[in-house]
Amino acid sequence: MFMSQQAEPFVGRDREAEESSTELAHSGHPSALLAPSPPTLEPRPASYVRAQHMLRPGARVPVCRYPHSWREEWRVEANSQAVLAAIGPGLDDLSASPDAMSFIYRVHSATKTKTGARIWLQFFTKIRWLDVAVLTLVDEPDGSEASTCFVRYTATGICPLTVFGAPCLNVLCCLFPFGSGDLPRRTLEKVRQAIRVPITVTSSGNMC
């Protein structure tokens, strides 16, 4: 998974990181953000990222995912359209800044929904562990400039993507619980800062 900050030791996985900027393509409207090219996985093919994101074996088994998953609910003082417009450039700046401590933060995809928006984020570490977060934004029905965001964060597998056959190995190992320490909480804190609008965490905790 990808990020860091002179990272403290984590339970189960050593979180190293790597600095990289990402690009977002806007198809004329912030409701359609297209995924940038996957980061380099030498000597493995970039298809590992797509396969791992699609399979996400670490997120599939409810009890086993508990140690490496996290959920939060945010009160956002901006509507979903404003968040869609801000999050891509904000994560680009974060990935390129010293505060990223070498982690890569990027928007994988985002779409408008009937009630707001849904945004998929990817986070990578130096040796190519992959974590994902899903942000579901629900605009206030009264039309005010505010929204509620439901966040689901999880590690996608115990094997980094630089390991040969990592997506398949992670499927085989999905029943083995592993820890992520406080990495999810710290990562989402940086994401909130990158969005650059007032956000209050109203609830948080591990997912069952």
Side-chain angles (χ1 to χ4, degrees):
M1 309 148 14
F2 293 33
M3 340 186 276
S4 107
Q5 182 183 8
Q6 198 50 301
E8 307 165 6
F10 290 90
V11 179
R13 296 185 304 179
D14 177 26
R15 303 278 218 251
E16 299 177 75
E18 174 167 5
E19 194 173 321
S20 171
S21 60
T22 59
E23 298 179 357
L24 288 174
H26 296 255
S27 63
H29 191 281
S31 66
L33 303 181
L34 305 181
S37 299
T40 302
L41 290 175
E42 295 295 345
R44 308 302 171 207
S47 59
Y48 274 33
V49 175
R50 292 188 288 271
Q52 184 73 8
H53 181 93
M54 180 182 68
L55 295 170
R56 300 188 304 281
R60 302 297 182 183
V61 184
V63 175
C64 295
R65 73 186 177 195
Y66 182 85
H68 56 261
S69 65
W70 190 251
R71 59 163 186 81
E72 290 186 353
E73 184 175 331
W74 302 344
R75 167 70 180 182
V76 184
E77 301 304 324
N79 60 26
S80 60
Q81 184 167 331
V83 174
L84 282 168
I87 193 168
L91 292 184
D92 284 348
D93 292 345
L94 174 59
S95 293
S97 73
D99 190 49
M101 294 305 225
S102 301
F103 277 78
I104 299 173
Y105 303 74
R106 73 173 192 167
V107 174
H108 174 266
S109 62
T111 56
K112 289 287 288 182
T113 65
K114 290 182 179 180
T115 56
R118 180 169 292 110
I119 306 171
W120 285 86
L121 305 181
Q122 292 180 331
F123 313 111
F124 299 87
T125 67
K126 182 176 181 180
I127 64 171
R128 302 305 193 243
W129 271 300
L130 171 63
D131 287 356
V132 299
V134 185
L135 280 57
T136 302
L137 288 147
V138 179
D139 291 325
E140 292 295 327
D142 59 6
S144 64
E145 294 296 309
S147 58
T148 300
C149 184
F150 301 94
V151 185
R152 298 292 182 269
Y153 179 114
T154 186
T156 61
I158 195 170
C159 296
L161 297 182
T162 46
V163 173
F164 178 76
C168 295
L169 291 173
N170 282 322
V171 170
L172 295 174
C173 295
C174 69
L175 295 178
F176 293 92
F178 56 92
S180 290
D182 68 344
L183 179 61
R185 181 188 59 77
R186 294 192 293 111
T187 298
L188 293 176
E189 181 179 2
K190 291 187 177 183
V191 170
R192 293 193 301 273
Q193 293 170 353
I195 297 174
R196 300 190 182 105
V197 298
I199 298 176
T200 303
V201 179
T202 57
S203 68
S204 64
N206 291 87
M207 293 191 300
C208 294

